Amino acid sequence: MLPSLGPMLLWTAVLLFVPCVGKTVWLYLQAWPNPVFEGDALTLRCQGLKNTPLSQVKFYRDGKFLHFSKKNQTLSMGAATVQSRGQYSCSGQVMYIPQTFTQTSETAMVQVQELFPPPVLSAIPSPEPREGSLVTLRCQTKLHPLRSALRLLFSFHKDGHTLQDRGPHPELCIPGAKEGDSGLYWCEVAPEGGQVQKQSPQLEVRVQAPVSRPVLTLHHGPADPAVGDMVQLLCEAQRGSPPILYSFYLDEKIVGNHSAPCGGTTSLLFPVKSEQDAGNYSCEAENSVSRERSEPKKLSLKGSQVLSTPASNWLVPWLPASLLGLMVIAAALLIYLRSWRKAGPLPSQIPPTAPGGEQCPLYANVHHQKGKDEGVVYSVVHRTSKRSEARSAEFTVGRKFYHLCGGEMPAAQ
């Protein structure tokens, strides 16, 4: 009876053991260090219950196969990154005498902490400083509080060139900024002795240079333009940070403007409509730093000088000579009249003696009106004595001068 009890007890033990295998967690996954930061050496270990030997070990991340090892229960993941985070698990064959079971661990969530955020590069006082000013580039980031004892190193770069190698200073100074200092800047940050390196977004620095005095050029035909012809004005500032706003003026009145986003030359083309388009033209260049005005250029039209020039402009030089000539003529006439009054009239001008001793009239004026004899008016001047002769002559000369001017003297009473 006793020998028959042995097999029965063995099978009873096996039956009791099998249900326990399905409920017992034989594998579990460990990840260290914990917590995990960027740059840390991440290690995964698939471990059996009470260090039970394992074989045919497989590792998974987010349900996807990651690695296989026949005997090694440890997997080195290298330097951890933010992309290393995920849900990990493992599976393997558990050897438990007298049977071998294939078991899978529960998932373990691996969170990789950010050691420091990507740096941000800023320009102080502005990414668009004026030429000659001091510009400070500042690279800013901050370590995680649990790793604040680490030391960060900073480097600065521009247009693919290194301006400052890794060092503890988070700032770079540019004294007396010039137009050549304009460009794309960025900085890089890495912990001392670590494998994490982060780069900032690029920052465009544009040094603003003042505009130079623009040059205005007038383009038209070989001769002065006439009404209906086309005239082109060209304005250019040799230097100055864009964008540049160009304005055109005619005698201080704006006639057009144009923006040059990239600088350079701008033009204004217009037809000549009238003589009012002639005058002094100038142009002005303006950017965010300064404003400059060109030298004026005069635009003359055909015949505009004669039409627009006052008569006094050509009379003034001849005015003194004309006045002098008039004075000479008046003086000569006055001398002649005085001498003629003293000497008497010329022999040919002495009126003949009328019968009865009366003289013929020296000057007679007859005004005739049709229809009536009473409308006939006579003006007679006689020669009587020497004194009255002078008066008569004076009266006659005055009457003749007034007559030549188109007037008419009243009849003698």
Side-chain angles (χ1 to χ4, degrees), residues 8 134 162 200:
M8 294 178 63
L134 172 66
T162 300
S200 71

Side-chain angles (χ1 to χ4, degrees), residues 17 21 53 55-56 92-103:
F17 176 75
V21 172
S55 63
Q56 306 297 317
Q93 292 184 354
V94 179
M95 298 179 64
Y96 197 90
I97 299 174
Q99 295 185 355
T100 301
F101 305 94
T102 299
Q103 295 291 313

